[in-house]
Amino acid sequence: LWLLYCQRTFLVVFSVCKMRGMMTFNIDDGYLEGLLRGFRAGLLTNADYANLTQCENLEDMKLHLAGTSYGDFLADETGQLLTATIAEKCTQKLVQEFRHLRVNAVKPLSTFLDYITYGYMIDNIMLLVTGTIHERDTTELLAKCHPLGFFETMPTLTAGGGSVSELYKSVIVDTPLAPYFRACLSKEDLDEMRGSAELEKVRNTLYKAYLEDFYRYCTKELGGETGKVMGELLEWEADRRAITITLNSMGTELSLDDREKLYPNFGRLYPETTYALAKIDKVDRSMEGQSDMDPVKDLMVYHESYAKLFAGVQDDPRNPQSTGGKTLEDMFFEYEVFMCKLAFEHQFQYGVFYAYVKLKEQEIRNIVWIAECIAQNERDKINDFVPIFAN
C-alpha cells in the first residue's frame, strides 16, 4: 500500500510540474501576452498592402497608414516625406511597443526580452568599432544605431578618446555583452582589425556566442513550451547564419577552419551538415552554369524544408545566367515569417514576443520597399515584398 501511495503521489507531482506553466503563466505574464497578441492583430493585412501598392505618392501612403495601427505616427512630418523618414518612424513605433512590454515585465520574461535586444547591441557596438577604426566621428554613428540596441551607458562609449582600446574597456565594463567579448575577443584582436572582412568575422564570432547563450537560456533554464518554440526559432536562425556565412566566405581570405568556428554549435544542420559546409571551397566557374550556391544546395537534400527554400530561388547573383525573381534572402524571409506565425499557435510561452519583433521588422521592410518603389517610380517591382498573411 505504501508503495502504491508513493507511485500515485509521484504521478500527481509530475503532472502538476508538467502543467505548471499553464497554471501559473498568467499570474505574471498573462497581461503582456494578451497585449502582444493585440499588437499582432494590428499587423497590416493583405487588403492594407493592396491599398498601399495603389498609392500614387508617399503622401497617399501616409494617409492610408493613418487608418491602420500605425495611426498618426507621421503627423509631425509636414515637409517633403522621404522613405528614410517612414522607415525611422515605423521603427520608433516598434521600439515604443517593445519598451512598454519590457517596462512592465518581471523575471524571467524581463530577462528573455533583454536577450532579444543583445543582437541589436552587437550590431551597434560593431558599428562604433568600425567608425573608431576608420577615425570617424562616433557621435554621428550613434544616430545610426538601432534603438532596440541602445543601453544606458552607450553614449559614454564615444567618450574614451576615440581609440579602440578605450572602446573595448568600456564594452567590457559597462555593457551586457561583456561575457561574449571576454570569451571571444581580446583588445589585441580588435587592434589588429582593419579590413571589413576581419570586422565581419568579429561580428559573427560575437553573434555565435550570443545565439548559443540565448539557446541555452531558452531550452535549459526556461524549458517547457518556451524551450520548445524558441528552440525551433533559434535553430532556424543558427542554420540560416551557417548557410549565409558559407556562401559569403567562398573565395575570400577566411580559411575553412576559421569558417567552421563561426557556425553556432546547435541547429538542424549541426553537426554533420555544418561540418560538410565548412569543407566547401570555391566553385570552379569555368564550368558553365555553375554557382557557389550549388554545393550548398546539394547538402540541403538531407533537410527537406531547407531544400524547398533553395528550390524556390529564381535569382542567384552568383550565377551570371540567372534570370531574376526570388533570391535566397527572399526565401529566408518567407520561411522566417512562416516560423514566427507558427509560434502564435502555442499558448503560455515567451516565443511569441520574439516572433512578434521579427514579424514587425518584416512588415517595416515591406513598407519601406513599397515606399521606395513609389518614390523611384518602379511600379513593376512594387509587389516583390514578403507578405505576412499570404492568401
Side-chain angles (χ1 to χ4, degrees), residues 107-164:
K107 290 186 176 181
L109 177 56
S110 59
T111 304
F112 178 86
L113 294 178
D114 287 340
Y115 266 102
I116 293 177
T117 65
Y118 291 169
Y120 302 97
M121 290 184 189
I122 291 174
D123 290 336
N124 288 349
I125 290 178
M126 289 307 302
L127 179 62
L128 296 178
V129 169
T130 303
T132 301
I133 289 176
H134 294 90
E135 299 181 349
R136 295 180 59 186
D137 184 1
T138 50
T139 304
E140 296 179 2
L141 294 176
L142 285 174
K144 299 181 180 180
C145 291
H146 197 289
L148 281 182
F150 268 85
F151 43 91
E152 292 182 2
T153 58
M154 191 168 177
T156 64
L157 297 181
T158 62
S163 67
V164 175

Side-chain angles (χ1 to χ4, degrees), residues 178-191:
Y180 308 143
F181 271 82
R182 282 196 296 264
C184 304
L185 299 167
S186 65
K187 180 174 67 66
E188 291 72 20
D189 292 331
L190 285 180
D191 287 336

Side-chain angles (χ1 to χ4, degrees), residues 223-241:
E225 197 69 13
T226 296
K228 175 183 176 182
V229 173
M230 282 304 300
E232 293 178 354
L233 289 171
L234 292 177
E235 284 171 4
W236 152 245
E237 178 64 19
D239 293 343
R240 183 188 67 81
R241 295 190 69 85

